[in-house]
Amino acid sequence: MTGPLWVSLPDGWQRGLIKNAATVTLGKMLQSKDSGSDVTAPYMRAANVQPDGLLALDDVNEMWFSAAELEKLSIRTGDVVVVEGGQGGFGRAAYVGEDLSGWGFQNSINRLRPIGDADGRFIAFYLIALRASGFIRAYSNVVSMPHLTAEKLARIPLPLPPVEYQRAVCDYLDHETAHIDTLIEEQRCLIEILRERRHSLIDSVFGDHVPNVRLQNACIDVVDCPHTTPEVSDFGAYEAVRTSSVRNGKFRPGNGLPVDADTWKARNAGGAPSIGDVLFTREAPAGEACMVPSDQLCLGQRMVLLRIDPTVCVGNFLMWQLYSNRVQDHFLLSVNGSTVANVRLPILRTTPIWLPGLSVQRRITAYLNGQTDKIDTLIAETERFIELSKERRSALITAAVTGQIDVRETV
C-alpha cells in the first residue's frame, strides 16, 4: 500500500483518503453588503494560516454572514483549516485548538472536520508533511493561480492508524515540534541581537563626527539608472542590478536580470560600474548600499551608481557611512514620511557626510570590514542552524505520521 510519503505502512494501519477521516467544506465568497438579515462576523482567511501549522489571529477581518451560513461555516476545536489557493500559501494547514465562536471562513479556506474519533491534529501534521515534500504543489492545479480545491483535497491518500495511535503520534509531535520551535525562536532572537550589534558598531564609528562635505564631493559622478526595464537575455553574460541584489552592505549575485552585451552597453551610457564604486538603492527599499563586485554589471530600475573619486574617498568607507543613523535619518526626513519611499538624486547628492583623510578612511574601513565579517559569519551560522532545525522538524513529522518510527516508546 504505497502513498505520497510511504512505501508501506505498519501492521494495523489502513490506507484511506482525507474524506474518509474528515468532511471537507469550502468557505464563502467575500460579501461586502447586508442582504437583509445578515450580521457581520470575523472570518478565517488565507493570511491567518501560517507555515508550520501556526494560526495568526491578531489580524482579523469581518464580513456579512447569514445565521445559516455561520452555523454551516463554524470553526471549532478539532477542526483543520487548509489554504485553498494563492501562490505563496496554498496547501498550508493548521489545527484549530480552541472554539472560534461566531466565526466563519472565506472561500480561500477549506475546513476539515474530523469524522468520529479521528484526530484533527494527525490530519494537520500529515498535510504539513505533504506540503513540505512538494506533493501538494505537484498535486494541485497550478496552470495559472494554484488551487487545492475541496474535491482534490478530499481525495488525497491518508494513512489511517488506529485512533489510539493517532493520539500517541500527535502527543509526541506536539512535544517534539514545540521544543524545536522554541530553539528556532531563540535563534531568530539571536539573529536580531547580532543585527542590532552590527548596526550599532557601524553607527558608533560615524556618530560622533561632524559632517564636513556633501556626498557629491566624494564622487566623480552620481549616476541614475535608465527608467526602463532591462531587456532580459536568458543566456546573457551580464547582470542588471536590482534593489534585491543589495542588502546590508553585501552584493547578492543572481538577484538581478541577465542581459546581453548590447543592453549592458546601452544602460551604461551614463557611466559603467567599476570595482571600487558603490551601488545604492533609492527605492523599494531605499538606503541599501554595497560595493561594485565586477565590471559586468549595469543598473536596473531604482538603482544609483556612486562613481567614487579615489583621490579623496575610499568607496567602502562611504558605503558603511550610508548605513549610519545620521545618513539614514537624513533620507527619512527628506521625504517627509515615516518610511523612506524614494531618495531623490538631489537629496542623495547633497547628503552631509564626514570625509577625513584617506589614511583614516582606510583604517576605519579595515576595522568595519573585519568586525562585520565576524558578525555576518555568526548570522549565517545561526541561519543555517534554523534551516537544519526546520528540516529535522519536517523529517520528524513525516516519519511519525507514516509509521517509520514507533512513538509509543517515546511518549
Side-chain angles (χ1 to χ4, degrees), residues 294-331:
S294 82
D295 58 5
Q296 292 190 307
L297 303 176
C298 61
L299 299 181
Q301 293 195 79
R302 305 182 183 91
M303 294 297 305
V304 176
L305 172 66
L306 307 180
R307 297 184 64 200
I308 300 300
D309 182 350
T311 66
V312 297
C313 181
V314 176
N316 221 311
F317 177 85
L318 177 60
M319 186 271 292
W320 286 127
Q321 191 166 178
L322 290 172
Y323 283 100
S324 67
N325 285 339
R326 182 180 62 241
V327 172
Q328 291 288 318
D329 288 346
H330 171 75
F331 296 151

Side-chain angles (χ1 to χ4, degrees), residues 334-354:
S334 298
V335 296
N336 297 317
S338 59
T339 58
V340 178
N342 187 332
V343 179
R344 294 179 291 113
L345 252 65
I347 298 299
L348 180 60
R349 289 191 176 103
T350 57
T351 298
I353 62 169
W354 171 56

Side-chain angles (χ1 to χ4, degrees), residues 93-381:
Y95 175 77
V96 179
E98 60 179 324
D99 288 339
L100 297 179
S101 179
W103 283 54
F105 54 99
Q106 188 192 358
N107 63 343
S108 61
I109 296 289
N110 283 306
R111 183 199 66 200
L112 304 183
R113 178 155 288 169
I115 298 170
D117 293 330
D119 196 319
R121 293 177 300 163
F122 185 88
I123 299 172
F125 276 126
Y126 176 70
L127 290 173
I128 290 168
L130 273 186
R131 189 170 188 270
S133 74
F135 172 85
I136 296 294
R137 170 165 288 277
Y139 178 73
S140 299
N141 300 322
V142 293
V143 176
S144 53
M145 182 66 72
H147 290 278
L148 179 59
T149 65
E151 293 76 15
K152 292 185 75 71
L153 177 59
R155 295 196 300 269
I156 290 178
L158 172 72
L160 292 171
V163 171
E164 295 79 8
Y165 194 80
Q166 289 182 39
R167 292 173 183 151
V169 166
C170 296
D171 291 342
Y172 169 76
L173 289 177
D174 281 343
H175 179 271
E176 295 298 316
T177 58
H179 177 65
I180 294 172
D181 291 343
T182 298
L183 290 177
I184 290 173
E185 185 58 32
E186 289 173 349
Q187 297 306 304
R188 285 175 175 155
C189 290
L190 174 59
I191 288 174
E192 288 306 309
I193 292 171
L194 289 170
R195 286 175 175 161
E196 290 173 5
R197 182 183 301 173
R198 188 182 193 273
H199 178 78
S200 297
L201 172 72
I202 295 168
D203 194 62
S204 67
V205 171
F206 299 104
D208 294 334
H209 296 283
V210 178
N212 55 358
V213 298
R214 304 287 182 175
L215 182 142
Q216 61 191 5
N217 301 124
C219 302
I220 297 171
D221 197 5
V222 178
V223 182
D224 197 9
C225 62
H227 297 288
T228 57
T229 302
E231 183 177 347
V232 175
S233 173
D234 291 338
F235 301 102
Y238 300 87
E239 184 173 350
V241 178
R242 300 192 294 177
T243 56
S244 57
S245 305
V246 183
R247 285 293 184 277
N248 300 316
K250 304 290 186 182
F251 180 77
R252 306 197 302 178
N255 283 276
L257 300 173
V259 297
D260 61 21
D262 290 339
T263 299
W264 173 82
K265 184 176 181 181
R267 296 188 72 85
N268 282 336
S274 299
I275 294 175
D277 291 341
V278 176
L279 295 167
F280 179 82
T281 68
R282 60 176 179 80
E283 189 179 359
E288 294 282 352
C290 74
M291 300 302 298
V292 172
S294 82
D295 58 5
Q296 292 190 307
L297 303 176
C298 61
L299 299 181
Q301 293 195 79
R302 305 182 183 91
M303 294 297 305
V304 176
L305 172 66
L306 307 180
R307 297 184 64 200
I308 300 300
D309 182 350
T311 66
V312 297
C313 181
V314 176
N316 221 311
F317 177 85
L318 177 60
M319 186 271 292
W320 286 127
Q321 191 166 178
L322 290 172
Y323 283 100
S324 67
N325 285 339
R326 182 180 62 241
V327 172
Q328 291 288 318
D329 288 346
H330 171 75
F331 296 151
L332 183 65
L333 293 172
S334 298
V335 296
N336 297 317
S338 59
T339 58
V340 178
N342 187 332
V343 179
R344 294 179 291 113
L345 252 65
I347 298 299
L348 180 60
R349 289 191 176 103
T350 57
T351 298
I353 62 169
W354 171 56
L355 199 65
L358 289 173
S359 61
V360 175
Q361 293 183 47
R362 293 189 185 103
R363 185 175 71 249
I364 289 174
T365 296
Y367 170 74
L368 287 177
N369 286 348
Q371 294 300 309
T372 56
D373 280 348
K374 292 177 183 177
I375 295 174
D376 291 342
T377 297
L378 289 174
I379 290 174
E381 290 174 350

